[in-house]
Amino acid sequence: MSDDAEHTPRAIDGHAPDVFHHGGWVPMRQHGEDDAVDFAIVGTGAGGGTLACKLAEYGFSVVALDAGPYWRPLEDFASDEHHQAKLYWTDERIVGGDNPLQLGANNSGKSVGGSTVHFAMVSLRFRPEWFKARSKLGYGADWPLDWREMWSYYAEVENTLKISGPVNYPWGPKRPRYPYRAHEINAAGLVLAEGAEALGIAWSPTPLATVSAPRGQSPPCVYRGMCVIGCSTNAKQSVLTTWLPRALKAGAEIRDLAMVGRIEHDKSGRVTGVRYHRQGRWRFQRAKNVVVAGYSIETPRLLLNSASSRYPDGLANSSGLVGKNLMVQANQAVWGIMEREIRAYKGPPSLAITEHWNYTDAGKDFFGGYAYMSQGPLPLVWSGVQASKRGLWGRPLIDEMERYNHHVGLKIVGEFMPQERNRVTLTDERDQYGLPIPRVTYSYCDNDKRLIAHSLAFMRQALEAAGATEIWDETDDTCHLNGTARMGDDPQTSVVNADCRSWDIPNLWICDGSVFPTVGGVNPSLTIQAIACRTADRIKARAAHGEL
Amino acid sequence: MPDRYPGYEVLQKRNSPSWNDKTRAVIDQRMAIDPNHHAFFTDAEWPTLRAICERIVPQPPDRAQPAPVAAMVDEKMHKNSGDGYRDARLPPMREAWRRALAALDAEATSRYGRRFHELGALLQDDLLKAIQNGGVAQKAWGDLPAKLFFEKRLLHDVVSSYYAHPAAWSEIGFGGPASPRGYVRMSFDRRDPWEAAEARPGSEAKARAENARVG
Ligand SMILES: Cc1cc2nc3c(=O)[nH]c(=O)nc-3n(C[C@H](O)[C@H](O)[C@H](O)COP(=O)(O)OP(=O)(O)OC[C@H]3O[C@@H](n4cnc5c(N)ncnc54)[C@H](O)[C@@H]3O)c2cc1C
């Protein structure tokens, strides 16, 4: 039997891959295409995968479709950056604006489990005030969510992923201690610690979604350091290894290599299911509800590509905001050289963090905040920084790369402002499925630039204090995607409500990073999963009242 | 330049617990790439590409098995495996390369009367620097933005091919594949016995001996 995950669906014929065993299978319930399932979910990443699990456990019938393959990490993942590009969304996208984004490896996954299959596992809570950024801090927009409610969903996700973290986290309101002990800090992280201590600010071991002790079928992390090209031992607690095995057990069906091209609706305007491409042809799955969870580029693209005579501007778009307010996060860095050997390739890439500038407002000339973390770029990424960003080639490149084991860096995850001009639109070019490809336009605003300047100056001091020399700034990197279908309290100024339900079409939902009204200064996936847990609870409650 | 990691060879670990089966299969394939094979670039374009690669990522002349950088770039173009985004000012990847190689040769011919690969290293570097700095004749390049092509396509495709090869990993002292064994010693100046030993002044022989034992 052919078992080529990239070309032949694996979740089929009543079973799905057992991600914990070579060649293993687990049983999977299946639904007929004419059988209108309670929920068809588009995308199985942080948003869609989590929601699929929770809804199935609440007894709803669920079919979750993903354009990507269904991997078994133990047999499919090589220790090789080049080969592992198979995890990324590499279909063509056009980038423009003053600051064209780097997509693909940098922020977009295409796998069952979504981008969490190759994410860096940093698992952070929002600062509470960010949920009311407009009224409490004076910028962006308010979320229709209360931080205290989110605090309990964060705890649920942290427990599900058995986050490894410190006993006491230095910032923000009280939280339960992390389920698993913190990881040992590598040399790159110790440099962050030394710099922070010299400047008198707090630092912490980073809360990470990779286990520091055995957990079920996950062995403890072996510090291989290749987390962002996919964990080949299953220490990483991705959606693929946590929520989805549970989802299958609870009766959800997952369809891999299934690209949804269009959401259909009936005369009354309610959606009826999804048209998707699998095994060489277009198919249709009927559903009572459709959830879009394709991340901040594919989600608006699908909604826009589903335009009809009734909804000429695309689905859920009466506000005109679908595709707008795309937010990446600042990912600028300072790099330097240490006399001591660092060998930053060992261990998870960001073992130490400071959120000082997320929680301190005095002394800032900008809105928003940033965290900064230690770094461990692998050779392909590092040579890309030296060549494309720094312009090195020839002998200077070779010489600089030979100092790989002595380089050290600090990098921010910083809050960019929502701007309507930063957006996803459709082009005339078509992809391999015949669907219009997206154009992603991005330009930093003045506030974004002030945040970057502040962070670079501060991190430079920290790196100097730790003893690094030859320090230079990497000024133009970004990470993570959020926004394009924001949640809110008002149908005029948002796409979905607090329950991730679209204002325009009551049985159409959006549950992924797209719903963020602002982005905060921490990595987003813990928040995306917390929102998905909340959404599942809200759906359950609504269903109990006959309000679906 | 003395070797920073004398005698260190990532491939020595091939049969160690640092390599799983998938990694062995993937790297074996890469090591078997024929450096002269080209399926996308034409016979006329091929020497130009090779000359570019030699200037962008020069390799020591005595290297037993140099990284087949040009053939790796060719493979990427042949498979049309893109990166998932394209600057709106640039044409699709393959078209960009075709037009750029033609433009580079046109530029070389108009400046020096010879094609790019026929020039000496210094002139080749001058030309590449001119492209990097945007100082090229518009006529040869048409509406292809030369500077942008150099930064986003040429450097990206060539450099990422080289540093995907074990020869480059050995050169920079990278541990290379590491599953399932991973690493143990995480702190400053600590190396696991299966990592590269760095030669400090006076410790060349010691490093060489340690590197011989890596496995
Ligand atoms: C290199 C890297 C490092 C990161 N590190 C961190 C980190 O340390 N901490 C953190 O919190 N976050 C991190 N992130 C970000 C995090 O992974 C994402 O924010 C998160 O996964 C987004 O969740 P999502 O559900 O919105 O989308 P995704 O997880 O990307 O899932 C979307 C899924 O939908 C599928 N899909 C899209 N469109 C369709 C369609 N039309 N039909 C079928 N399927 C479709 C895709 O194939 C994909 O699998 C990182 C990301 C990357 C790339």
Side-chain angles (χ1 to χ4, degrees):
Chain A
M1 184 183 91
S2 141
D3 191 27
D4 171 5
E6 280 172 86
H7 301 104
T8 316
R10 279 177 168 171
I12 206 158
D13 298 334
H15 65 196
D18 175 353
V19 294
F20 293 106
H21 294 101
H22 284 260
W25 299 100
V26 292
M28 181 177 77
R29 181 174 164 200
Q30 282 187 275
H31 297 274
E33 292 187 321
D34 287 333
D35 166 17
V37 292
D38 292 330
F39 287 88
I41 301 179
V42 184
T44 59
T50 307
L51 188 66
C53 172
K54 298 287 292 189
L55 289 178
E57 289 180 344
Y58 289 155
F60 296 102
S61 57
V62 172
V63 170
L65 307 98
D66 204 293
Y70 208 138
W71 307 110
R72 290 189 196 95
L74 298 181
E75 73 187 52
D76 294 325
F77 290 0
S79 285
D80 181 62
E81 288 177 272
H82 183 76
H83 178 79
Q84 292 297 119
K86 66 186 183 184
L87 302 186
Y88 312 144
W89 191 285
T90 52
D91 298 356
E92 191 92 310
R93 293 160 164 172
I94 308 296
V95 293
D98 298 344
N99 305 94
L101 300 179
Q102 215 176 309
L103 303 173
N106 202 35
N107 48 31
S108 311
K110 189 193 222 180
S111 293
V112 171
S115 306
T116 71
V117 176
H118 69 117
F119 84 148
M121 314 171 304
V122 174
S123 300
L124 304 173
R125 298 183 179 199
F126 261 41
R127 172 178 165 181
E129 289 89 336
W130 292 342
F131 290 107
K132 295 287 176 268
R134 167 59 57 194
S135 38
K136 288 216 151 75
L137 300 166
Y139 68 88
D142 284 351
W143 294 54
L145 301 175
D146 184 288
W147 76 268
R148 281 158 298 218
E149 193 188 7
M150 288 300 288
W151 233 237
S152 72
Y153 286 109
Y154 278 134
E156 175 180 354
V157 178
E158 286 168 351
N159 193 43
T160 299
L161 307 183
K162 296 289 180 244
I163 300 296
S164 300
V167 175
N168 295 305
Y169 195 67
W171 306 279
K174 222 173 124 50
R175 61 186 69 181
R177 74 178 282 184
Y178 286 100
Y180 274 37
R181 69 172 168 81
H183 289 280
E184 180 185 349
I185 310 276
N186 62 4
L190 292 172
V191 169
L192 181 145
E194 288 177 6
E197 283 170 14
L199 297 184
I201 62 166
W203 69 277
S204 170
T206 310
L208 292 175
T210 179
V211 285
S212 53
R215 190 265 168 116
Q217 305 190 76
S218 289
C221 177
V222 294
Y223 303 142
R224 162 180 173 256
M226 301 197 179
C227 323
V228 294
I229 59 169
C231 177
S232 59
T233 68
N234 282 331
K236 178 189 279 192
Q237 304 296 291
S238 66
V239 171
L240 179 67
T241 59
T242 57
W243 299 105
L244 292 180
R246 256 172 69 179
L248 290 168
K249 209 172 275 173
E253 177 180 353
I254 295 167
R255 291 193 194 143
D256 53 343
L257 302 180
M259 173 71 182
V260 177
R262 189 177 171 83
I263 300 166
E264 303 285 2
H265 63 78
D266 61 18
K267 282 206 209 72
S268 77
R270 287 175 67 91
V271 297
T272 52
V274 293
R275 197 158 295 285
Y276 69 104
H277 193 272
R278 196 184 197 205
Q279 293 181 299
R281 66 176 181 86
W282 286 98
R283 299 152 185 276
F284 184 70
Q285 175 64 50
R286 294 171 60 78
K288 294 178 195 145
N289 293 272
V290 172
V291 182
V292 187
Y295 210 7
S296 296
I297 296 175
E298 295 308 315
T299 285
R301 179 186 180 211
L302 177 58
L303 294 170
L304 297 173
N305 269 338
S306 300
S308 63
S309 53
R310 184 185 175 110
Y311 299 115
D313 301 322
L315 303 186
N317 199 17
S318 65
S319 65
L321 288 173
V322 168
K324 292 184 181 166
N325 294 302
L326 174 69
M327 291 164 286
V328 288
Q329 289 177 296
N331 205 207
Q332 277 66 18
V334 295
W335 301 101
I337 294 291
M338 300 285 280
E339 175 60 23
R340 293 181 284 183
E341 282 178 17
I342 303 297
R343 298 187 192 259
Y345 57 81
K346 292 193 278 190
S350 296
L351 281 160
I353 183 171
T354 175
E355 280 206 65
H356 178 80
W357 289 110
N358 271 336
Y359 286 85
T360 306
D361 296 324
K364 281 179 183 166
D365 61 346
F366 58 91
F367 288 122
Y370 62 87
Y372 71 78
M373 285 165 245
S374 55
Q375 296 297 306
L378 296 172
L380 273 203
V381 167
W382 187 235
S383 61
V385 170
Q386 297 294 348
S388 296
K389 302 269 175 67
R390 221 177 168 191
L392 299 186
W393 53 274
R395 201 68 236 172
L397 173 67
I398 301 289
D399 289 346
E400 189 57 40
M401 286 300 293
E402 279 190 15
R403 305 200 290 175
Y404 177 63
N405 288 338
H406 289 268
H407 85 264
V408 69
L410 303 171
K411 203 170 225 260
I412 62 170
V413 168
E415 179 163 21
F416 276 166
M417 292 295 121
Q419 303 178 62
E420 288 196 11
R421 65 175 175 157
N422 290 336
R423 61 186 300 201
V424 176
T425 50
L426 300 176
T427 67
D428 296 332
E429 280 184 57
R430 306 257 161 174
D431 69 4
Q432 67 271 38
Y433 310 101
L435 301 167
I437 70 170
R439 180 186 171 108
V440 180
T441 307
Y442 214 93
S443 306
Y444 302 167
C445 66
D446 288 341
N447 192 81
D448 300 343
K449 292 174 189 166
R450 285 198 296 274
L451 179 144
I452 291 169
H454 185 280
S455 70
L456 290 173
F458 189 82
M459 291 191 295
R460 177 175 284 265
Q461 288 179 45
L463 212 50
E464 266 166 8
T469 56
E470 299 179 58
I471 296 171
W472 62 279
D473 296 341
E474 180 187 355
T475 56
D476 72 343
D477 203 10
T478 66
C479 63
H480 310 140
L481 305 163
N482 285 94
T484 68
R486 62 157 55 154
M487 58 163 60
D489 279 325
D490 178 353
Q492 309 257 300
T493 56
S494 59
V495 178
V496 296
N497 67 16
D499 298 348
C500 293
R501 188 175 204 169
S502 77
W503 290 111
D504 299 352
I505 306 175
N507 65 338
L508 176 65
W509 312 71
I510 299 170
C511 185
D512 61 8
S514 311
V515 302
F516 283 33
T518 57
V519 67
V522 296
N523 318 46
S525 72
L526 197 76
T527 302
I528 298 171
Q529 291 170 81
I531 289 172
C533 289
R534 182 184 182 278
T535 299
D537 282 355
R538 298 292 300 161
I539 287 172
K540 183 181 167 205
R542 297 254 159 171
H545 290 95
E547 291 169 1
L548 272 195
Chain B
M1 270 270 299
D3 209 350
R4 192 183 273 262
Y5 299 96
Y8 173 64
E9 175 52 82
V10 166
L11 292 175
Q12 255 168 247
K13 291 194 256 184
R14 184 183 179 282
N15 297 319
S16 78
S18 284
W19 290 47
N20 62 9
D21 288 342
K22 185 70 189 179
T23 302
R24 278 188 273 270
V26 164
I27 303 300
D28 286 356
Q29 238 180 31
R30 197 160 308 150
M31 295 308 294
I33 294 174
D34 172 358
N36 300 309
H37 180 77
H38 51 104
F40 171 76
F41 291 104
T42 63
D43 287 344
E45 293 163 339
W46 183 241
T48 313
L49 176 69
R50 289 191 66 145
I52 292 172
C53 293
E54 278 164 28
R55 297 316 304 152
I56 299 294
V57 283
Q59 303 188 54
D62 58 348
R63 184 169 275 173
Q65 195 177 349
V69 181
M72 292 167 76
V73 174
D74 180 84
E75 184 182 270
K76 176 170 180 173
M77 296 309 132
H78 180 61
K79 291 188 178 153
N80 204 15
S81 39
D83 303 300
Y85 59 101
R86 180 178 107 222
D87 193 296
R89 294 162 291 180
L90 287 174
M93 179 172 79
R94 291 166 147 187
E95 182 190 336
W97 266 105
R98 284 248 140 85
R99 287 174 54 189
L101 291 184
L104 183 61
D105 270 333
E107 183 99 25
T109 312
S110 81
R111 282 195 194 193
Y112 308 113
R114 274 173 294 160
R115 287 186 56 193
F116 182 77
H117 72 276
E118 296 163 339
L119 303 174
L122 285 179
L123 289 183
Q124 287 179 335
D125 282 359
D126 280 351
L127 250 181
L128 291 172
K129 274 180 205 144
I131 302 174
Q132 181 172 30
N133 300 324
V136 290
Q138 215 47 53
K139 208 166 96 252
W141 292 80
D143 62 359
L144 184 69
K147 185 175 155 62
L148 200 66
F149 170 81
F150 189 85
E151 177 189 319
K152 305 268 180 199
R153 271 269 68 89
L154 187 149
L155 281 183
H156 175 77
D157 292 334
V158 174
V159 172
S160 68
S161 295
Y162 179 58
Y163 286 99
H165 196 276
W169 302 341
S170 298
E171 179 177 67
I172 67 174
F174 172 52
S179 182
R181 177 162 54 180
Y183 299 104
V184 180
R185 295 162 184 81
M186 301 271 278
S187 196
F188 294 108
D189 290 321
R190 297 299 307 277
R191 70 175 264 278
D192 287 321
W194 54 92
E195 291 183 87
E198 182 175 344
R200 299 288 181 118
S203 73
E204 219 261 348
K206 181 164 167 267
R208 189 175 289 280
E210 280 171 341
N211 284 330
R213 287 196 297 273
V214 163

